[in-house]
Amino acid sequence: MRPLLTPSNQWYPGRQVTRPPYLFSSLCTLLLTGITQVGIAQEFGGVPPWGREKPTHFTGEIRRNETFEQQIGGGLTFTLTGDEIHVGRSGDDYSSCATGPLHGPSPTDFMAWHFQGGTQSPGGIGTKRWINFALNEEGNRVMCEQVEAASQGKDTYQDPITGRCWFVPLGVKISDDSPDQQVIEEMKFEGECALHGGLELWRLPIAYTISSNFSGWATICSGARGMPELSRTGDSYHVVIGEQSTVHTSSELRWDSRGARFVSPQGAVIPTNGPERKIWGWQSGYSSCGPFQSFFVGTASQYRSHTLNPLLR
């Protein structure tokens, strides 16, 4: 899981959202994730906001008391009523916990004041709203549990796969009632949904080549102005860890370990689990060097003796 810096009273752009802002504890500037492989087809590369995935695109018009439904794949349906958006199946909404904020207006909600003349609304006509959603009941359950944990000030570490939609109101007619009584009479709109849009697969993973005699914390500080971009092989970056344990680059990297590979100079895979495991403690977040990802290379005994990343001291 990565930290999210979006204020809870703003609509967040597509670049930032894997999870809503209330899932990032204000007590912690670092999040840890286990190095795991995701059981879906991963195709890195492409361009924002969907990478190489083809989204479901739709346009429509809805009137008061009507419902618009669009199948988006995976057995999921995008549903719009006059005042809210749901994404889910069989009447279950998988978007409420995945799309923050916990308090305040949500991108899934529509109110007449969003479209009243002179209103400085973040979700008005022509503005993209970004909606995250879980892909199934289990993912939604985990998301909602994390919402509850975060509301109690606890850190959350699981990172369910999330889809993402964008939605734009193109034209809205509101009733002629007094401003505090107005409702939405008609809305024209456009949108897109991608089942794995929340993974931001256009952000490339790194293939790490690690010297055989190296042990310790390896760190990549990314998005650094004036620093060189990382070299690429296909749809992954390439970094050599050995003489240098900290690399500074202007390239923007993933926050998670999805797609990361670890090999010796001879090309042998370095284990990330099991009795011969040599990769530990994946970390990502913000530090004195800016956005970073970091992990420990060594035996279990070495890791136990060096669990504190010196970057965070």
Side-chain angles (χ1 to χ4, degrees), residues 64 112 116 173-185:
R64 188 175 179 180
Q116 291 169 348
K173 178 182 177 181
I174 56 180
S175 67
D176 295 328
D177 302 314
S178 60
D180 61 338
Q181 297 293 321
Q182 286 180 319
V183 297
I184 297 172
E185 295 282 4

Side-chain angles (χ1 to χ4, degrees), residues 205-210 233 235-237 257 259-263:
I206 296 179
Y208 294 93
T209 298
I210 300 174
T233 302
D235 285 335
S236 64
Y237 292 116
S257 59
R261 289 176 290 148
F262 307 86
V263 298

Side-chain angles (χ1 to χ4, degrees), residues 4 12 16-23 87 93-102 106-108 130-136 139-147 160-164 198:
L4 188 63
Y12 33 79
Q16 291 181 301
V17 182
T18 287
R19 61 189 56 264
Y22 49 79
L23 291 183
V87 182
D93 181 21
Y94 296 162
S95 62
S96 60
C97 291
T99 306
L102 182 60
S106 167
T108 61
W130 293 89
I131 296 108
N132 279 5
F133 56 91
L135 300 188
N136 49 45
N140 188 58
R141 181 190 64 78
V142 172
M143 280 284 187
C144 292
E145 287 180 351
Q146 292 185 105
V147 170
I161 299 169
T162 56
R164 183 174 299 158

Side-chain angles (χ1 to χ4, degrees), residues 241-263:
I241 299 295
E243 293 183 7
Q244 284 186 306
S245 62
T246 301
V247 176
H248 297 265
T249 178
S250 60
S251 300
E252 293 191 4
L253 306 181
R254 301 191 61 78
W255 292 95
D256 57 38
S257 59
R258 206 164 269 125
R261 289 176 290 148
F262 307 86
V263 298

Side-chain angles (χ1 to χ4, degrees), residues 63-83:
R63 293 175 177 81
R64 188 175 179 180
N65 298 324
E66 292 182 344
T67 298
F68 171 85
E69 293 186 343
Q70 173 68 51
Q71 301 296 316
I72 61 173
L76 301 178
T77 302
F78 177 98
T79 302
L80 169 67
T81 63
D83 57 2

